Amino acid sequence: MRLSQFFIQTLREAPAEAEIASHVMMMRAGMIRKVAAGVYSYMPLGLRVVRKVENIVRKCMNDAGAVELLMPSMVPAELWQESGRWQHYGKELLRIKDRHGREFCYGPTHEEVITDIVRNTIKSYKQMPVNLYQIQTKFRDEVRPRFGLMRGREFIMKDAYSFDVNDEGAQVSYEKMRVAYNNIFKECGLRYKMVEADSGAIGGNFSHEFMVLAQTGEDAVISCNSCDYAANMEKAIATRSTPPTGGRDQGRGDKYEEVLTPKAHTVEEVATFLNVDVKSIIKTIIVCVDDEKYAAILVRGDHEANLVKLKNYLGAQTVEMAAPDMIFKVTGSPVGFSGPVGLNLPIYADLALEGIDGAVVGGNKKDLHLINVKAGRDYTPTVYGDFRNAIVGDICPKCGGTYEIARGIEVGHIFKLGTKYSEAMGAKYLDVNGKQQIITMGCYGIGVGRTAAAAVEQNHDEAGIAWPLPIAPFEVVVVPLNTNEPEVVSLAESIYQRLIEAGVDVIIDDRNERAGVKLADADLIGYPLRVAVGKKSIAEGLIEITTRKTRETISVNKDNAAKSVIEILKGL
Ligand code: ATP
Ligand code: MG
């Protein structure tokens, strides 16, 4: 490929709204162009990256026995009404009407369409297991589309769905995807972690997320420093942790005391005001369960409540923070002063609170706190359990090691669905005994564009992108530094030809530009290897090969240039 004929334009500046490296650099390198918020064109260079990711995904999915098909983006409302999601999916679902007023949506995911296909195709146990996937444009009207390809409203996803006769079968299908996903992200050349994620009503370890590690990641990745346990924040088990600290008076005496705490709103302010450790403060979070009941979660002052854990404990559909007016209604005080004493709600206390005597709690009255509070004497938790987020230093439940927390970008998610859709939509089959049974499903997604963006987050420096070799737009760029020197041009051309003949994915920067412009563009675009040919190459017979990632340059004899490039590529 010749850069002079390729459609590219690099920019000095990225638009002000681009906040993170991948967005800035993909814009500056001319890989993507914004059309509307969360809607992008993939320019030729960016598309090459996307296609390379897709090809790795496709290969690994095929190797795992999955079969590719392609479903429409435009999906009739009736299918979504059957699953119940037409009502429940909310505003992320992009809905449209055709000229006859019939309702459709642009698919954000395709459980309904695939289940419809399968219920009309699969009749017998003999037709399973089967895993069907597609690589397709998805639509989600995200509240906050941002970070370029990271969170778009229109984006490319690989989605796969498995169909099995029973739970055991579904677990085998799940396991295959787990292996395939590990292969995919390894083959893309990314540093990633597979983490346990919340599997909601299904329970068990049947939801894993694949996180590309990068500082700008939106998600916390909790992992043990001495074993392979890793989980996301919703799921990571928080053990009892450190022994309780206890408050000032250790709960002595037979009653708590009231203190006025004007102007102290946050836990830190209350701690400072009362001169106590934040660990002896108990935070009370009022939550709404299934949109109707109210409850309180108690956590230590330095901990955060985990609503998903309570949801799973209760087997509820939803657990959300209560609105301020409801907090007032159920506690009698404004936000910030809720407390367990005298509270007429179920109280779910985190394990780390067990044994804390003499704690500080909210007094359910404006500007009032209670000190020297003792559980059992002043209030009684409904139950103690794991209702908080894990933190650095928590003890690993698997091996006793300690937790570390890193940032990650969720690029893939595998999930056992069970019979949620097959039951709602009547996807059944006849078993060996001719008895009708419900199909068990799994679903497996990968954000293709997000994977490309995550690769940039993980692999860049101040000069630009440093693509991992397997997903680089081109593996090698040959740069004739002086386009007005015929000898330089012809040497560069001959190296370029030899690389093409050897099957290397190479581009030559034959634009009539200054050397500085070409080198800066090469750094920005992030080709893994750069071969520079200049006057020195003619005079001394040496050309320079630079590895983008390490910025190491070696000089090799011009006659060995192609051979050396191929050798270095093998080692990348
Ligand atoms: P998130 O929590 O980031 O919104 P999600 O849980 O909604 O993700 P899934 O429904 O599991 O995501 O979708 C599968 C994959 O599609 C995700 O792992 C992610 O890589 C990708 N993805 C999801 N939403 C977007 C988006 N708005 N833009 C780009 N990729 C996305
Ligand atoms: Mg989402």
Side-chain angles (χ1 to χ4, degrees):
M1 189 63 72
R2 297 180 169 279
L3 207 45
S4 61
Q5 292 163 12
F6 204 65
F7 192 69
I8 116 165
Q9 188 204 14
T10 54
L11 307 172
R12 249 176 221 290
E13 305 275 342
E17 72 197 41
E19 293 166 51
I20 60 170
S22 58
H23 192 186
V24 170
M25 289 175 183
M26 291 179 92
M27 291 290 288
R28 281 193 51 214
M31 295 192 172
I32 53 170
R33 285 283 180 266
K34 183 175 162 181
V35 179
V39 181
Y40 288 84
S41 294
Y42 303 87
M43 302 303 282
L45 267 183
L47 186 62
R48 287 183 73 91
V49 174
V50 164
R51 290 285 183 254
K52 285 193 178 182
V53 174
E54 285 179 3
N55 289 341
I56 292 171
V57 169
R58 190 171 275 122
K59 177 183 145 295
C60 294
M61 290 301 291
N62 292 346
D63 285 351
V67 187
E68 186 170 2
L69 47 50
L70 185 58
M71 292 177 267
S73 286
M74 192 174 159
V75 183
E78 290 76 31
L79 281 180
W80 277 65
Q81 277 152 356
E82 272 193 68
S83 71
R85 288 209 292 182
W86 187 256
Q87 287 76 27
H88 293 123
Y89 203 85
K91 290 192 174 169
E92 252 184 44
L93 190 64
L94 204 56
R95 298 160 206 254
I96 39 165
K97 274 192 187 144
D98 71 5
R99 64 173 74 205
H100 307 293
R102 291 188 204 110
E103 288 188 298
F104 288 79
C105 68
Y106 280 127
T109 162
H110 278 67
E111 282 81 359
E112 285 80 357
V113 181
I114 197 84
T115 307
D116 180 52
I117 290 173
V118 162
R119 72 179 167 187
N120 291 324
T121 313
I122 291 186
K123 304 285 171 225
S124 146
Y125 70 96
K126 292 179 194 153
Q127 293 164 280
M128 285 179 284
V130 65
N131 186 329
L132 300 166
Y133 78 96
Q134 62 175 346
I135 298 177
Q136 187 216 31
T137 299
K138 294 280 188 278
F139 299 85
R140 294 186 186 179
D141 199 357
E142 300 269 355
V143 206
R144 287 222 296 154
R146 60 192 182 139
F147 300 158
L149 298 190
M150 207 67 96
R151 186 172 295 283
R153 294 196 294 169
E154 175 177 327
F155 58 96
I156 301 172
M157 195 205 281
K158 184 286 295 176
D159 47 328
Y161 306 89
S162 64
F163 300 87
D164 279 275
V165 292
N166 56 23
D167 245 32
E168 291 81 68
Q171 282 163 28
V172 174
S173 295
Y174 185 88
E175 212 38 49
K176 281 190 184 157
M177 284 297 105
R178 206 157 79 123
V179 172
Y181 271 47
N182 277 292
N183 291 338
I184 288 168
F185 296 114
K186 246 180 255 159
E187 285 197 26
C188 285
L190 298 168
R191 277 181 292 115
Y192 72 97
K193 251 198 182 351
M194 179 182 79
V195 303
E196 290 181 13
D198 176 43
S199 44
I202 299 288
N205 280 342
F206 290 106
S207 173
H208 287 86
E209 287 170 351
F210 291 76
M211 303 281 199
V212 167
L213 301 172
Q215 270 157 13
T216 43
E218 283 186 335
D219 297 294
V221 175
I222 291 96
S223 61
C224 173
N225 67 359
S226 71
C227 76
D228 62 357
Y229 181 79
N232 70 8
M233 192 53 95
E234 290 183 344
K235 173 88 175 180
I237 296 169
T239 47
R240 195 170 302 262
S241 97
T242 45
T245 14
R248 249 191 340 204
D249 304 313
Q250 300 297 318
R252 278 189 282 271
D254 36 77
K255 211 176 172 237
Y256 58 84
E257 285 168 52
E258 295 190 345
V259 283
L260 285 176
T261 49
K263 294 201 202 111
H265 297 289
T266 64
V267 172
E268 287 71 27
E269 284 164 358
V270 173
T272 309
F273 184 80
L274 295 173
N275 192 23
V276 295
D277 186 342
V278 283
K279 289 183 180 169
S280 66
I281 295 182
I282 295 176
K283 289 196 280 195
T284 303
I285 295 93
I286 307 295
V287 295
C288 179
V289 180
D290 288 339
D291 292 328
E292 50 178 28
K293 291 167 285 190
Y294 287 83
I297 304 180
L298 305 190
V299 293
R300 212 168 69 183
D302 60 327
H303 288 155
E304 295 297 330
N306 185 315
L307 277 50
V308 173
K309 288 181 177 177
L310 180 63
K311 181 181 84 139
N312 290 339
Y313 176 81
L314 296 174
Q317 291 296 315
T318 59
V319 171
E320 281 159 4
M321 299 282 233
D325 57 329
M326 288 313 296
I327 293 178
F328 193 86
K329 204 166 160 193
V330 297
T331 69
S333 83
V335 181
F337 301 95
S338 305
V341 177
L343 191 66
N344 192 18
L345 292 178
I347 293 173
Y348 300 98
D350 182 67
L351 285 173
L353 298 177
E354 214 168 0
I356 293 188
D357 285 333
V360 175
V361 303
N364 294 323
K365 208 188 249 179
K366 188 167 165 21
D367 294 337
L368 183 72
H369 276 84
L370 311 180
I371 60 170
N372 199 23
V373 173
K374 194 174 157 113
R377 181 190 69 188
D378 303 319
Y379 71 96
T380 309
T382 309
V383 69
Y384 283 100
D386 175 12
F387 300 122
R388 70 171 170 99
N389 286 343
I391 58 171
V392 175
D394 274 346
I395 308 299
C396 170
K398 224 170 136 181
C399 77
T402 46
Y403 278 172
E404 292 171 344
I405 298 190
R407 305 301 303 173
I409 299 161
E410 182 204 317
V411 287
H413 189 184
I414 58 177
F415 194 84
K416 187 172 144 195
L417 279 170
T419 56
K420 182 173 169 192
Y421 293 91
S422 42
E423 209 167 322
M425 298 182 63
K428 298 176 193 149
Y429 69 97
L430 295 177
D431 71 10
V432 209
N433 307 314
K435 214 178 130 210
Q436 206 164 56
Q437 305 277 6
I438 291 178
I439 295 174
T440 305
M441 292 171 59
C443 69
Y444 318 91
I446 290 181
V448 172
R450 190 184 283 185
T451 300
V456 177
E457 285 306 317
Q458 192 177 72
N459 300 284
H460 69 269
D461 57 23
E462 59 303 328
I465 307 169
W467 288 105
L469 186 70
I471 60 172
F474 292 93
E475 294 177 346
V476 180
V477 61
V478 176
V479 187
L481 297 170
N482 324 83
T483 16
N484 47 3
E485 299 275 340
E487 277 181 294
V488 168
V489 171
S490 105
L491 176 56
E493 288 286 347
S494 76
I495 295 170
Y496 169 63
Q497 283 308 333
R498 252 175 280 162
L499 288 172
I500 289 197
E501 279 154 28
V504 173
D505 184 21
V506 57
I507 187 163
I508 184 166
D509 190 350
D510 57 347
R511 295 175 300 168
N512 192 11
E513 289 283 359
R514 283 182 297 112
V517 171
K518 291 186 183 187
L519 295 178
D521 277 356
D523 278 352
L524 174 61
I525 291 165
Y527 315 99
L529 280 190
R530 183 182 83 199
V531 179
V533 183
K535 286 188 213 158
K536 209 170 100 186
S537 314
I538 306 302
E540 298 169 18
L542 293 175
I543 57 119
E544 290 188 338
I545 304 176
T546 307
T547 304
R548 176 65 184 84
K549 196 159 217 162
T550 57
R551 310 202 109 185
E552 265 169 332
T553 298
I554 56 161
S555 294
V556 301
N557 187 292
K558 67 179 168 50
D559 300 324
N560 290 334
K563 226 172 107 203
S564 304
V565 165
I566 293 163
E567 272 311 302
I568 299 172
L569 281 177
K570 278 188 200 149
L572 283 187

